[in-house]
Amino acid sequence: MENIRLLWESTGLYNFTGPQAIMMAVGFLLLFLAIKKDFEPLLLLPIGFGAILSNIPVAGMIDEGGILYYMYSGIKAGVFPLLIFMGVGAMTDFGPMLANPKTLLLGAAAQFGIFATLFGALAMNVVPGMEFSLKQAAAIAIIGGADGPTAIYVASKLAPELLGAIAVAAYSYMALVPLIQPPIMRALTTEEERKIEMQQLRVVGKTEKIIFPLMLVVLTALLLPSAAPLVGMFCLGNLMNACGVVDRLSKTAANELINIVTIFLGLSVGSKLSADAFLKMETLGILALGAVAFAIGTASGVIMAKVMNRFSSTPINPLIGAAGVSAVPMAARVANKVGQESNPYNFLLMHAMGPNVAGVIGSAVAAGVLLSLIH
Amino acid sequence: MENIRLLWESTGLYNFTGPQAIMMAVGFLLLFLAIKKDFEPLLLLPIGFGAILSNIPVAGMIDEGGILYYMYSGIKAGVFPLLIFMGVGAMTDFGPMLANPKTLLLGAAAQFGIFATLFGALAMNVVPGMEFSLKQAAAIAIIGGADGPTAIYVASKLAPELLGAIAVAAYSYMALVPLIQPPIMRALTTEEERKIEMQQLRVVGKTEKIIFPLMLVVLTALLLPSAAPLVGMFCLGNLMNACGVVDRLSKTAANELINIVTIFLGLSVGSKLSADAFLKMETLGILALGAVAFAIGTASGVIMAKVMNRFSSTPINPLIGAAGVSAVPMAARVANKVGQESNPYNFLLMHAMGPNVAGVIGSAVAAGVLLSLIH
Amino acid sequence: MENIRLLWESTGLYNFTGPQAIMMAVGFLLLFLAIKKDFEPLLLLPIGFGAILSNIPVAGMIDEGGILYYMYSGIKAGVFPLLIFMGVGAMTDFGPMLANPKTLLLGAAAQFGIFATLFGALAMNVVPGMEFSLKQAAAIAIIGGADGPTAIYVASKLAPELLGAIAVAAYSYMALVPLIQPPIMRALTTEEERKIEMQQLRVVGKTEKIIFPLMLVVLTALLLPSAAPLVGMFCLGNLMNACGVVDRLSKTAANELINIVTIFLGLSVGSKLSADAFLKMETLGILALGAVAFAIGTASGVIMAKVMNRFSSTPINPLIGAAGVSAVPMAARVANKVGQESNPYNFLLMHAMGPNVAGVIGSAVAAGVLLSLIH
Amino acid sequence: MGATLFLGYVMNELLSSGIELMLVGMGIVFTFLSMLVVFINGMSSLIQRFFPETPIVAQQGDDPRMIAAISAAVHQYRKKYSKN
Amino acid sequence: MGATLFLGYVMNELLSSGIELMLVGMGIVFTFLSMLVVFINGMSSLIQRFFPETPIVAQQGDDPRMIAAISAAVHQYRKKYSKN
Amino acid sequence: MGATLFLGYVMNELLSSGIELMLVGMGIVFTFLSMLVVFINGMSSLIQRFFPETPIVAQQGDDPRMIAAISAAVHQYRKKYSKN
Ligand code: NA
Ligand code: NA
Ligand code: NA
């Protein structure tokens, strides 16, 4: 009898707390979004599963000695997001951006989503029950960069307690780009503007593609060294791919290594979806602010493109400004699709890839700004 | 002269101890079994080589600062066996089991090998020179689960001093399944029973394959959270494979990642084959108990299948009960082969895969029971 | 105003020191050599990039908590070079050497480059401004082994402060083998000798290829256990490849695993290219000694081959002695090419592969000697 | 003799906990896997009723000889690729 | 009321630093990326003048059906390979 | 001058240990690899006498053009695969 009582007391049923059950449900919701709704499944599936595993009572997988505890140290050290960024660099082709460098300005403009959200998060302190410090506000704001590893890197440095919510918001909104962006893009442009066809891009040579990551890393070192880890690892991956002499390494960086790290990173982000950190008013604030961040980033990219179109000698379709938020290559595809609604023969995809990869640089630069100005 | 003496004293020849030499010979025996006898070479080759490397005098590869010392920390933390289990999950198809769920009972019955062996190990304390604590007995018993990573995981938690012997016994007997099982299967069944043909299995849809690992992880969380690390990582791998949206990740988990971890795990298991832990009477006991565990597991699986055949509406060939010990897919192949000796047109392979993968779940559950009841 | 000053003071421009700028230039030089001159790009590209990243002011990527700091621990523990050596072992075919075992003596002779350089480094202490301890001299000498992972392993044990310069010198001279060796080879041989054709090599069976790595590891254990980590991991990789039953593992060891470790190793070697360690007179000494080491190794290999040719029943082309320095397979190709200058129908490649892989064993043995004699 | 008695007592203790573990252990394993049977049956009938799937057609027969040729070539290619 | 005042003061402080961060931050981002535009233009014209590259000819048209067939076979091969 | 003498003494010390290392080191390297020669010869003759292997026939000539085509396709496939 005594033994059966002991046995019963060792079950999960006996030990489950309400918050743990809710967090497991959140994990299942993420799995549903990943598998059925195709929401960034590469990340949201491991994150969701990590949320489930870490909220199993008694098992203690997040306690010292548990597998998720060890995995999280790869995030705490910043190693996982930086390795992912290296792999992303190895997959990125800067050709379209180098063919039309002024699209970098679109990638810059879209980062206004980050800084407006920073202000918004601070302003939210007037709402009772919400309380964000400057560091937390900055970590939330980086969701507006629409770049997963950058968001995780910054959050792990500035506000690790919000890491789970921020990562989930970042990847969810990245998956929602095809829903969030088009209405904003249509509202801010005229039918005529959406019809604008752009000049074909020149072919960019190999030398330029090799020099560019080197130039970028030097400029970062000179002007914004706090962005150097992110930008540097990105440029390393990109250089390995562009130079063509270390294909073994760039392929491994862009495939097996990024896959392994993605599993570990996802699980350990999920392990931070604990009830006491997630089930708070603040999480609603983060979700709301994240959506606002994407909307503002999209809008400022489009507006910047409109301004540039006015002053540019060659025509610029304002829709490609929306791709400045990064979320590669989803945002560029959205720009292309919205463009073809107005002009079925308008192929904006390559033109939008310029601001799209510029947005990756832009958000890494913005991350560097936040990391250097906020202590 | 003095220098030559110093040189001589730095050689292995001068420093070799008898036990080290014997353990190196054990390492070579394992290599022989792996390479010439095809005994689970993926594991026994690195284990054997690890035994050789770790018993080289002076080199100190298992001392703090040596490569095998660092590698072993991956076992101590439980990370290596769990990652292997994730990879195995990504390779596992639960289709045949889902098509005929009552085969799960065969996977349950075969775990009697574990618990009978636990009792046997405790009873062995009457033999002079053998002494097994409750923890050690449980760690030995898990050999009967016929599942390598589970055995390593449990042994590393309950009795790390026996890890080497237990892992070697587990993998060796898994390789011996085609020799150990058939006589027992023939002894316990009639020719008529062995001829029984089974109904073709229905095709199991993708949705069921996606839901199953989730259901399994929830049930584990509710009832037996101590099995959650093993079952959870297994289900993660299985879900990644079944859902079809993260093929990049499941392929890496089932290939490069499991390969890398297998090398590290094998070497570090081998590094625990030290003379003072292995060259003891107890090791003979472990080897004997391991063989008994497999035999009992096989027998109880077959007997359970005979019982079920009596009460089932559809015929069940008792041979498939032997596959309940896991040892995927060797045990299922053995069931198929023994069946074809009596009836060459009887294809039991798919029917035996059901209890076979059920055995993996069963032994993970049994591991959870042992880990939760024995402190 | 105050803020703008603070901002300015956080830039790299403000914080750059002269030495850092020079080291970044060294990094760019290495990238140039790797990408444009095809100097061992797999290593020199990550090393060069590591030099750049680690010399960015403020970013602190080599400080505790930075990614390069964590990566370097894989070298400090010896794990990275040993894993690379395992992968190299899995890529190595000992067939040509087993078909003509006396080529091992060429691999032995070429190691004279190591020990002569050791003496040279000690003698350099007479030059004002140069100061090398015995440990440092030994670490420098190993450059003469023409084997990257061996050099890194030994340097990390004996003189980690020189690791950057030694690794750079080792890989640079390995890339320069086609320039350094031919004049020496031509000077030491007559036209007649260079025309010597060698007998076709017998086919070596699988069993011999399996036994050889085991024999080598036993001999190392008995005679020179200090070489056991290097030789042992190399033999493990070689055995995995030769035995044919663990192809999954040997392929991963020779591809994804070695690629991942190469990226990490390269970056962390590069991170040791810090100004205060590199910008010293001693570095010039290291570069000079490295070149001398390669030249002496080449010469002693050729001279040994000439001696052997005199006493051997079958003809030996002295050119293949130059391949004894290792630098696989570059040195063997050089021997082939120089031979074809004198006799276009002379195919020395396979004959030179024997001393070439023997050179790898020879330098690992020499490393063991240094590690065991110098404390 | 007192020691022998004591040892005997300890042995009895160990063996009875062994039997208890056996009963409890097999009980839990059977309970767990039986519940899984029930849940799988429930899940399968629910899914087949409410989300019936058209069974996946077997993959169109790739010519096995072609696959053999190609996989040999792939193997060769990989081998070559992995060495340089 | 003193507390409210104090809170208000803190809020003002926070919001003003938010505005400052917004201005400084966007300033840096724009400066940085604008400089990149200038440098890229410089680099491209330098390279095109002094190291002109013959544009890489598009890869010779592999028959897409062949590629499809082969990649299916490769996939099959890999699947098979990954299981044993 | 005493210091110079002392330095000279240290140098002599270092150089003589350098020469000793050179002799001992090359001695060990040659001894080790010579023993390997002996053992390999022994092993090879033993194996060839007692376990003679039928030499492996060279792999049946795959058409090199086919391999080239396939490896190009594989490369393409991988590239595509690695991006999505
Ligand atoms: Na962005
Ligand atoms: Na089992
Ligand atoms: Na060498």
Side-chain angles (χ1 to χ4, degrees), chain B residues 79-341:
Chain B
V79 173
F80 288 167
L82 292 178
L83 289 179
I84 291 205
F85 224 50
M86 178 176 76
V88 173
M91 293 180 201
T92 298
D93 177 10
F94 278 118
M97 195 192 79
L98 294 174
N100 190 8
K102 58 179 177 285
T103 55
L104 273 162
L105 299 181
L106 302 173
Q111 307 316 316
F112 187 60
I114 293 178
F115 294 100
T117 307
L118 170 53
F119 182 79
L122 293 175
M124 263 211 180
N125 279 314
V126 302
V127 181
M130 298 265 182
E131 216 176 308
F132 293 123
S133 70
L134 194 54
K135 281 187 175 184
Q136 290 178 324
I140 294 165
I142 200 71
I143 299 173
D147 186 280
T150 300
I152 292 171
Y153 184 77
V154 170
S156 73
K157 300 283 175 200
L158 292 181
E161 67 281 8
L162 301 181
L163 177 62
I166 288 172
V168 165
Y171 282 106
S172 300
Y173 291 126
M174 279 161 69
L176 287 174
V177 151
L179 294 181
I180 296 175
Q181 290 198 318
I184 301 167
M185 293 157 77
R186 288 193 205 102
L188 292 173
T189 52
T190 65
E191 178 77 9
E192 287 316 298
E193 284 174 326
R194 294 198 289 276
K195 279 185 175 159
I196 294 177
E197 295 189 11
M198 294 179 67
Q199 287 179 356
Q200 218 203 313
L201 294 171
R202 72 173 175 92
V203 175
V204 172
K206 196 177 154 186
T207 313
E208 289 171 72
K209 289 188 184 175
I210 293 175
I211 300 291
F212 174 71
L214 296 173
M215 207 169 76
L216 178 54
V217 84
V218 169
L219 206 65
T220 308
L222 292 180
L223 297 186
L224 196 62
S226 54
L230 279 168
V231 174
M233 292 303 283
F234 187 85
C235 288
L236 170 58
N238 191 250
L239 177 67
M240 292 198 300
N241 185 40
C243 73
V245 293
V246 291
D247 282 354
R248 277 182 76 118
L249 303 185
S250 67
K251 273 175 190 155
T252 296
N255 289 291
E256 289 79 17
L257 181 54
I258 203 175
N259 292 347
I260 293 171
V261 175
T262 298
I263 296 174
F264 294 174
L265 176 107
L267 282 174
S268 35
V269 165
S271 77
K272 287 288 139 176
L273 287 176
S274 65
D276 37 313
F278 195 81
L279 297 180
K280 297 173 85 170
M281 275 295 285
E282 273 88 350
T283 301
L284 290 179
I286 292 173
L287 291 174
L289 287 164
V292 170
F294 268 64
I296 295 181
T298 304
S300 40
V302 173
I303 291 168
M304 183 73 191
K306 285 175 73 134
V307 173
M308 283 170 63
N309 184 38
R310 196 147 306 169
F311 296 99
S312 166
S313 54
T314 58
I316 293 174
N317 187 313
L319 294 175
I320 71 167
V325 297
S326 41
V328 184
M330 191 94 74
R333 280 191 203 140
V334 167
N336 187 57
K337 191 160 155 275
V338 175
Q340 293 192 331
E341 289 168 8

Side-chain angles (χ1 to χ4, degrees), chain A residues 107 111 114 144-147 324-327 356 358-364:
Chain A
Q111 307 316 318
I114 292 178
D147 186 280
V325 295
S326 39
N356 215 182
V360 176
I361 301 175
S363 46

